[in-house]
């Protein structure tokens, strides 16, 4: 039988189809089929019959719409948003603001209860005519979020605030103030004033006894910039202190534009300036101070001369020890020996002189009243670390004085010197002489503190008033020495604060020297004498009295300063009064 023609060929039935290949016509290419071959009758893709085509069971059948696929491969994530789902458009990013801007969700009508206190946040108005100390202290006592925003300030020669240089200038100014004996609160206020004058309003200064640091944060989303400086050397020069105050006052004045270069130049001039008094004047002033103090406690002309000579010898020995690099502890120990030695020598020689007044006068020139007042002031204003360090320094100085005097008194007692501890009860009352002596004592004390010549007379008068108040309350009034000293020291602090406000300067030059007549020199001496004579109980009682008098002086000076602020116009004041440093009441 002949094979049918190709055109007449019919599709094989399902039974006839086999998984095995079947031979084709002679001369034609063999077509291999498998179980995956597209059945006959289904249109095949264009191409010759002769070409073999192999397909998979995953092939998409015809008639099913397949989305167009680009020529490049596209990889999507399982988090891709399906087509047809509308995604809400996010609002545009808000511009970056400061910490003083309210949140975007805040509205005046629907303000949350925790955002503003029930009484509201009082508006702070910084009066430009107020001293910069008050303005900056008011700012520091406010939380950062409640401080008023700083207006942009453009300084001459500066395109913008150079943050590292401004922080360095701030630390250098704070170092001079802290080394000069200024209180920690005033040092922080000065540092904040310098930063704020150059546009760095979000800064936080920190002051301890030997370390100064300041941190500035441009905004809530930027890293803060911090700098620190260590105070290694301290010196008493109130002329330099007043110059630094004038520089800070000029920097904080909104109407005065001082560039960083000009501020650095003025600061360098302040550091290079020599002391206003030469060394021989300081030595003579220490002698006059000791002589005036000896007259204040009952001495005569011979006592005045002896006390002056002893104090000058002690001052020269202290300068010698300082030149050899000995610590201040040994300097105080050596300086306390000559006045005590002269007093004991006069007693052993049976010279009719009040040796106790000689030794007491020498102690007046050494008692660290400046450090004591600063330490107590720091403690009362909340700077406890700095206060503890200052008071520890005072204790070391006092121990050095005690050791120096006790050594001389011990040898004097062994040599037969008749020193009477009860002589303190027989102090003579000479009002006119004592007032003159108190004025001279305050004047010489001001010279030793290297004060400006224009302030010496005012300080001397302030010291005379302090002694008049003390004498009137203690002798005719019969009040205790501690209470009389506290009231007199309070007046010193009050007048000193008023004078500093009048002259836009620091209050230290007007208060430290004025408390000289109130220092507990006699109580200290008689306590040491009792201990040298093995009367330890009497000695401890007298030393406790000296400590009480010292604390009364320091607290009185600080209280007088605070009282003066109650009657002055304070920036930021409201019906509630000025803000305190703390409101915790101890818990």
């Amino acid at each position: 039988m002949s094979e049918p023609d190709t055109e007449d060929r019919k599709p094989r039935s399902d039974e006839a189809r086999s998984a095995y290949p079947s031979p084709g016509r002679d001369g034609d290419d063999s077509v291999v089929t498998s179980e995956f071959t597209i059945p006959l009758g289904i249109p095949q893709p264009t191409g010759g019959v002769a070409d073999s085509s192999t397909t998979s069971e995953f092939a998409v059948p015809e008639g099913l719409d397949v989305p167009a696929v680009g020529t490049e491969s596209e990889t999507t994530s399982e988090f891709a948003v399906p087509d047809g789902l509308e995604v809400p458009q996010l609002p545009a990013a808000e511009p970056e603001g400061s910490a003083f801007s309210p949140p975007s969700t805040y509205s005046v009508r629907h303000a949350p209860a925790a955002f503003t206190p029930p009484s509201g946040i009082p508006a702070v108005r910084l009066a430009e005519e107020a001293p910069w100390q008050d303005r900056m202290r008011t700012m520091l006592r406010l939380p950062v979020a409640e401080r008023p925003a700083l207006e942009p300030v453009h300084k001459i020669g500066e395109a913008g605030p150079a943050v590292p240089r401004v922080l360095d200038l701030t630390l250098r100014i704070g170092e001079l103030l802290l080394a000069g004996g200024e209180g920690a609160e005033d040092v922080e206020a000065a540092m904040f004033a310098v930063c704020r004058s150059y546009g760095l309003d979000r800064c936080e200064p920190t002051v301890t006894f030997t370390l100064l640091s300041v941190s500035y944060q441009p905004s809530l989303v930027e890293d803060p910039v911090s700098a620190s400086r260590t105070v290694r050397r301290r010196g008493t020069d109130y002329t330099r202190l007043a110059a630094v105050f004038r520089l800070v006052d000029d920097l904080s004045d909104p109407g005065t534009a001082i560039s960083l270069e000009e501020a650095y130049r003025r600061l360098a001039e302040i550091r290079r300036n020599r002391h206003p008094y030469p060394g021989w004047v300081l030595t003579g002033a220490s002698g006059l101070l000791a002589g005036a103090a000896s007259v204040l406690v009952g001495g005569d002309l011979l006592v005045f001369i002896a006390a002056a000579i002893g104090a000058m010898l002690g001052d020269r020995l202290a300068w010698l020890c300082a030149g050899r690099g000995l610590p201040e502890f040994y300097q105080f120990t050596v300086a306390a020996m000559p006045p005590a030695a002269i007093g004991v020598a006069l007693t052993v020689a049976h010279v009719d002189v009040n040796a106790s007044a000689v030794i007491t006068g020498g102690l007046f020139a050494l008692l660290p009243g400046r450090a004591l007042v600063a330490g107590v002031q720091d403690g009362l204003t909340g700077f406890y670390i700095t206060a503890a360090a200052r008071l520890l320094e005072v204790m070391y100085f006092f121990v050095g004085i005690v050791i120096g005097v006790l050594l001389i008194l011990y040898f004097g007692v062994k040599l037969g010197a008749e020193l009477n501890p009860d002589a303190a009860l027989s102090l003579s009352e000479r009002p006119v002489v004592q007032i003159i002596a108190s004025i001279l004592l305050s004047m010489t004390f001001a010279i030793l503190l290297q004060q400006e010549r224009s302030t010496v007379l005012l300080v001397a008068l302030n010291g005379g008033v302090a002694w008049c108040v003390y004498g009137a309350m203690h002798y005719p009034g019969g009040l205790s020495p501690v209470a009389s000293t506290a009231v007199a020291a309070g007046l010193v602090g009050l007048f000193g604060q008023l004078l500093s406000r009048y002259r836009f300067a620091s209050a230290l030059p007007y208060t430290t020297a004025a408390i000289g007549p109130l220092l507990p020199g006699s109580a200290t001496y008689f306590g040491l004498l009792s201990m040298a004579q093995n009367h330890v109980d009497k000695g401890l009682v007298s030393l406790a009295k000296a400590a009480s008098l010292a604390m009364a002086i320091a607290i009185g000076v600080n209280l007088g300063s605070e009282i003066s602020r109650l009657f002055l116009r304070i920036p930021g004041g409201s019906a509630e009064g000025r803000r305190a440093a703390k409101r915790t009441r101890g818990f």
Side-chain angles (χ1 to χ4, degrees):
M1 177 186 257
S2 63
E3 190 175 355
D5 201 11
T6 305
E7 291 80 5
D8 299 333
R9 243 184 338 186
K10 297 180 180 179
R12 298 180 182 179
S13 62
D14 293 340
E15 295 81 7
R17 279 180 289 171
S18 172
Y20 299 98
S22 57
R25 237 178 357 177
D26 296 340
D28 294 338
D29 295 336
S30 63
V31 178
V32 182
T33 61
S34 69
E35 60 181 351
F36 302 107
T37 304
I38 300 175
L40 296 176
I42 298 178
Q44 299 183 8
T46 59
V49 180
D51 296 337
S52 64
S53 66
T54 305
T55 59
S56 169
E57 61 180 352
F58 300 104
V60 180
E62 287 191 4
L64 180 63
D65 295 336
V66 180
V69 180
T71 55
E72 298 180 357
S73 62
E74 297 181 0
T75 305
T76 59
S77 168
E78 60 181 350
F79 302 104
V81 180
D83 292 338
L85 179 63
E86 296 182 357
V87 181
Q89 297 294 328
L90 295 177
E94 297 182 358
E96 188 177 302
S98 68
F100 306 109
S101 302
S104 58
T105 57
Y106 172 74
S107 63
V108 178
R109 294 184 178 180
H110 306 285
F115 189 81
T116 304
S119 59
I121 299 176
V124 178
R125 297 177 179 86
L126 300 178
E128 297 182 0
E129 64 273 9
W132 63 265
Q133 297 98 313
D134 290 338
R135 290 186 279 124
M136 296 304 112
R137 189 181 290 110
T138 302
M139 296 289 294
L140 284 174
R141 289 181 176 181
L142 286 172
V144 177
E146 297 181 16
R147 294 176 186 171
L150 178 66
E151 296 181 0
V153 178
H154 178 70
K155 299 294 181 179
I156 298 176
E158 297 291 337
V163 175
R165 298 190 66 198
V166 172
L167 297 185
D168 179 71
L169 177 67
T170 302
L171 292 174
R172 291 178 183 272
I173 290 177
E175 179 189 11
L176 286 180
L177 293 176
L178 188 62
E182 190 64 65
E185 186 180 27
D186 291 329
V187 175
E188 278 197 357
M191 295 173 64
F192 186 77
V194 175
C195 286
R196 190 174 174 84
S197 65
Y198 286 101
L200 309 185
D201 56 331
R202 293 180 55 81
C203 65
E204 289 294 338
T206 304
V207 177
T208 58
F209 185 60
T210 57
L211 182 65
L212 297 170
S213 62
V214 60
S215 177
Y216 169 68
Q217 188 174 12
S219 65
L220 294 177
V221 297
E222 296 184 60
D223 295 332
V225 181
S226 301
S228 61
R229 193 173 184 88
T230 304
V231 180
R232 303 189 182 276
R233 298 188 63 183
R234 301 178 182 274
T236 304
D237 190 346
Y238 282 178
T239 301
R240 178 179 296 176
L241 190 69
V244 176
F245 261 71
R246 285 192 292 269
L247 174 59
V248 177
D249 184 49
D250 293 340
L251 288 174
S252 59
D253 186 8
T256 305
I258 300 178
S259 64
L260 277 176
E261 297 298 333
E262 177 66 16
Y264 269 108
R265 185 191 64 79
R266 290 181 57 177
L267 187 62
E269 289 181 355
I270 293 173
R271 297 181 67 94
R272 284 196 304 264
N273 282 345
R274 295 179 177 272
H275 298 303
Y277 307 102
W280 65 269
V281 173
L282 299 179
T283 301
S286 64
L288 291 176
L289 189 153
S294 64
V295 173
L296 196 64
V297 295
D300 52 10
L301 181 59
L302 183 58
V303 171
F304 180 92
I305 296 174
I309 294 175
M312 287 189 289
L313 289 176
D315 183 75
R316 286 293 92 191
L317 288 177
W319 276 101
L320 181 63
C321 294
R324 296 296 183 271
L326 289 178
E328 288 184 295
F329 175 84
Y330 301 105
Q331 297 176 28
F332 275 82
T333 302
V334 172
M337 290 182 176
I342 291 179
V344 170
L346 292 175
T347 304
V348 173
H350 301 287
V351 179
D352 189 12
V353 68
N354 190 351
S356 299
V358 175
I359 302 175
T360 301
L363 291 178
F364 266 85
L366 298 175
L367 292 178
R370 172 183 59 85
L372 175 66
V373 172
V376 174
Q377 181 180 357
D378 288 341
L380 294 176
T381 52
F383 295 86
Y384 301 114
I385 296 178
T386 308
R390 289 186 189 271
L391 294 178
L392 185 62
E393 181 187 39
V394 171
M395 187 192 73
Y396 272 104
F397 292 163
F398 189 76
V399 170
I401 297 171
V402 167
I403 292 175
V405 176
L406 273 180
L407 287 175
I408 301 300
L409 293 180
Y410 178 77
F411 286 108
V413 171
K414 292 297 182 181
L415 293 176
E418 298 179 358
L419 300 171
N420 185 13
D422 297 329
L425 302 176
S426 61
L427 292 177
S428 60
E429 300 178 15
R430 300 172 296 174
V432 178
V433 175
Q434 289 177 333
I435 291 174
I436 296 175
S438 64
I439 293 176
L440 179 61
L441 192 154
S442 300
M443 182 182 298
T444 52
F445 201 175
I447 294 175
L448 286 176
L449 294 175
Q450 303 280 359
Q451 292 188 196
E452 293 178 313
R453 293 179 175 87
S454 60
T455 64
V456 172
L457 182 59
L458 294 175
V459 173
L461 294 177
N462 198 8
V465 171
W467 179 258
C468 290
V469 173
Y470 170 81
M473 297 183 65
H474 178 56
Y475 295 114
L479 269 71
S480 65
V482 176
S484 303
T485 301
V487 174
L491 289 178
V492 168
L494 176 62
F495 294 152
Q497 194 66 232
L498 293 177
L499 289 172
S500 67
R501 300 302 180 89
Y502 175 73
R503 306 189 64 165
F504 292 91
S506 173
L508 282 181
Y510 300 98
T511 57
T512 305
I515 65 173
L518 305 176
L519 292 175
S522 59
T524 303
Y525 163 69
F526 288 111
L528 298 179
L529 180 58
S530 299
M531 295 182 67
Q533 294 177 346
N534 292 327
H535 301 295
V536 180
D537 295 338
K538 290 184 178 180
L540 292 178
V541 170
S542 186
L543 290 179
K545 178 183 177 181
S548 301
L549 291 173
M551 292 297 294
I553 292 173
I555 295 175
V557 170
N558 181 264
L559 182 60
S561 301
E562 295 296 328
I563 289 175
S564 67
R565 292 172 184 160
L566 295 178
F567 301 99
L568 295 174
R569 181 182 178 185
I570 300 298
S574 60
E576 301 177 356
R578 72 185 181 97
R579 291 176 174 265
K582 294 182 181 294
R583 294 175 180 264
T584 58
R585 294 191 180 95
F587 54 83

